[in-house]
Amino acid sequence: MKCIYCGKELDEGDLFCPRCKKAAQIVPDYNVYEDDYLKQVLKEENRPKKKQETGHAPVQGLDPDRKKQQKKKQMKITGAVAATVFVLVVALLILAAAVRSNHANSVSYQLTQAQKAYAKGNLKEALAYYERALELDPGNNDIRIKLAELYMELEQEKDAEKLCKLIIRDDKANRRACKILIGIYDGNDNLDAILSLYDRVDESLYQLFDNYMVVPPEFSLDTGTYETAQTLVLRAVKDYQIYYTLDGTDPVTGGMRYDGPVVLDENGKTYRVRAVCRNDRNIYSEAKERSYTIKIPSPDMPIVTPDGGDFGVKTTVSITVPDGCSAYYTWDGTIPNRYSSHYTHPVTVPEGNHILAVIIIDNRTNLSSEIYRGRFVYYESNPEEDEQQDAE
């Protein structure tokens, strides 16, 4: 077959002319009336009679009936030859059409031609072959992805996106389709579409989203109620920045940048810590929240030794002070405070009748214990009076 536009010889099944790139049409390479055999017969019919091979002149006065029979015979031969040539031409046309139809409906042929066209840089020709192949096998993801990649080369993003969505629908672990979609969405600054795609793909592809899916920070403390002040540490799984709030508000819009442990020490307060991570593309993670209630108990009532009494000799009093606390006391029964006498070592009971009041204060929370009160009576003994009393 030849191209009807430029005459270039075409291979069987070609959809496009390799020279002029126009759609191929079937044009026979021969003509019934140009057949060599037929021309020879007609030539023999029209040329003058020659002498017979015997060397004698032709016989004059041949029977007219015989001439008619010879002419009829020659006409029959000519007709038979013409009919044979016509049948051959029709057969060849039918065969060519069959081959062409077979190629047009062969997926492998379309793919082979597409690859050849692509190798020559004829992208649009390759595109036509790939599209035909997909028409023949519409559910073939291998063809879809090749066609999608070619669409991207031709800057036909919408067509590529449509195909890749179909691929992901049928194969959630298709890495090539996922990468194409991420590239399209990233180029359009469509983070929401990237996050939506993340929810639709297989977890084996999650690493492709590392630049977009920022992991929230980790908290060193679990939610709960604590009886002592706490130090909260926030950690990022990568080199992310952390922003947080202590009252449950949005850390993205009003958070403090985390630069070290957070002290939670206000007694009776519930801290609602919300925190996010941010990568170098200014993409934030989801907010993560934990609640911490600080409920520090007051110190126990002081332990005083001895616990009051009457004394005739000098006596010292010891007070047990818990770690992180201080003890303060008075001898007149008034309520002690931080401005009262600070207990640092055992104290001597003063002479007379006294009420010792002691309080323990937590140095960190300023919480006070209940007040201890004890009566201490001390008078120094007179030996003469003691002897007189004994005599009586």
Side-chain angles (χ1 to χ4, degrees):
M1 294 183 292
K2 295 182 178 179
C3 175
I4 65 172
Y5 300 103
C6 67
K8 171 71 176 177
E9 290 288 342
L10 303 179
D11 294 333
E12 291 184 355
D14 279 348
L15 297 178
F16 296 88
C17 174
R19 176 186 293 167
C20 66
K21 309 303 181 184
K22 294 184 178 181
Q25 303 292 332
I26 298 176
V27 178
D29 295 336
Y30 41 81
N31 191 298
V32 174
Y33 301 103
E34 294 178 353
D35 184 88
D36 292 339
Y37 182 75
L38 180 58
K39 288 193 294 183
Q40 183 65 28
V41 172
L42 293 176
K43 185 176 180 181
E44 292 292 334
E45 176 69 19
N46 294 325
R47 75 181 179 178
K49 301 293 184 177
K50 295 183 179 179
K51 292 183 179 181
Q52 296 182 1
E53 294 179 359
T54 59
H56 300 288
V59 179
Q60 300 295 325
L62 189 62
D63 186 358
D65 291 337
R66 188 174 179 181
K67 285 184 177 181
K68 289 182 180 180
Q69 290 177 356
Q70 289 179 346
K71 192 172 184 178
K72 280 185 177 182
K73 186 175 181 180
Q74 289 175 348
M75 291 179 66
K76 286 181 179 180
I77 292 173
T78 301
V81 171
T84 301
V85 171
F86 177 78
V87 171
L88 288 173
V89 170
V90 172
L92 288 173
L93 290 174
I94 292 174
L95 178 60
V99 171
R100 184 179 176 85
S101 175
N102 181 61
H103 286 170
N105 293 285
S106 169
V107 174
S108 61
Y109 177 81
Q110 301 300 322
L111 293 177
T112 299
Q113 295 303 107
Q115 292 166 2
K116 289 180 179 179
Y118 183 85
K120 295 177 181 179
N122 300 328
L123 301 189
K124 290 188 177 180
E125 184 179 336
L127 184 66
Y129 282 116
Y130 276 130
E131 288 178 337
R132 176 57 182 160
L134 190 59
E135 288 179 8
L136 298 173
D137 191 1
N140 190 315
N141 272 350
D142 290 335
I143 300 176
R144 282 174 175 170
I145 194 63
K146 291 176 181 177
L147 186 53
E149 290 171 343
L150 188 52
Y151 279 141
M152 290 299 293
E153 286 193 56
L154 293 170
E155 298 182 353
Q156 297 178 221
E157 284 190 356
K158 291 296 183 182
D159 294 321
E161 179 184 358
K162 182 179 178 181
L163 275 181
C164 288
K165 284 182 177 180
L166 292 175
I167 294 171
I168 292 298
R169 182 197 66 186
D170 298 339
D171 179 11
K172 298 182 184 299
N174 194 296
R175 179 174 294 269
R176 292 163 69 185
C178 185
K179 291 179 70 173
I180 290 175
L181 287 174
I182 290 175
I184 293 173
Y185 297 146
D186 182 70
N188 296 326
D189 292 325
N190 192 347
L191 179 60
D192 290 339
I194 294 176
L195 299 181
S196 176
L197 177 63
Y198 179 86
D199 293 332
R200 300 198 307 272
V201 300
D202 186 79
E203 62 182 13
S204 63
L205 304 182
Y206 284 173
Q207 63 181 7
L208 298 178
F209 297 82
D210 283 351
N211 291 331
Y212 310 96
M213 300 298 297
V214 181
V215 179
E218 296 178 350
F219 287 59
S220 63
L221 299 174
D222 293 329
T223 292
T225 299
Y226 294 86
E227 294 186 349
T228 60
Q230 298 296 309
T231 299
L232 173 65
V233 176
L234 301 177
R235 299 185 183 89
V237 297
K238 289 191 175 182
D239 188 20
Y240 299 145
Q241 295 179 353
I242 301 175
Y243 292 85
Y244 70 98
T245 59
L246 300 177
D247 57 2
T249 54
D250 186 3
V252 174
T253 58
M256 299 174 286
R257 183 173 176 177
Y258 178 82
D259 58 4
V262 180
V263 177
L264 311 175
D265 61 356
E266 187 173 340
N267 192 41
K269 180 175 181 177
T270 296
Y271 295 88
R272 289 181 55 202
V273 182
R274 293 189 73 194
V276 294
C277 285
R278 190 186 76 180
N279 68 6
D280 55 6
R281 299 166 62 96
N282 290 327
I283 298 175
Y284 289 87
S285 71
E286 293 183 356
K288 190 173 183 179
E289 181 174 332
R290 295 286 185 271
S291 294
Y292 307 102
T293 299
I294 306 302
K295 194 172 183 180
I296 303 173
S298 300
D300 292 335
M301 180 182 291
I303 298 175
V304 178
T305 306
D307 184 13
D310 294 331
F311 306 96
V313 295
K314 286 185 177 181
T315 303
T316 58
V317 177
S318 297
I319 303 172
T320 301
V321 182
D323 292 340
C325 297
S326 297
Y328 300 90
Y329 63 94
T330 62
W331 282 106
D332 58 3
T334 57
I335 298 175
N337 54 43
R338 286 188 178 276
Y339 300 101
S340 302
S341 298
H342 183 200
Y343 176 84
T344 57
H345 56 273
V347 296
T348 301
V349 176
E351 188 173 6
N353 189 345
H354 301 282
I355 300 296
L356 174 64
V358 182
I359 195 171
I360 300 293
I361 297 179
D362 190 308
N363 296 330
R364 192 166 190 176
T365 64
N366 289 324
L367 293 175
S368 301
S369 68
E370 294 183 14
I371 300 173
Y372 165 86
R373 284 188 172 88
R375 181 178 293 277
F376 289 79
V377 179
Y378 165 57
Y379 291 101
E380 187 175 355
S381 299
N382 186 326
E384 295 181 355
E385 292 181 356
D386 290 343
E387 291 180 356
Q388 183 176 357
Q389 288 177 358
D390 291 338
E392 293 178 353

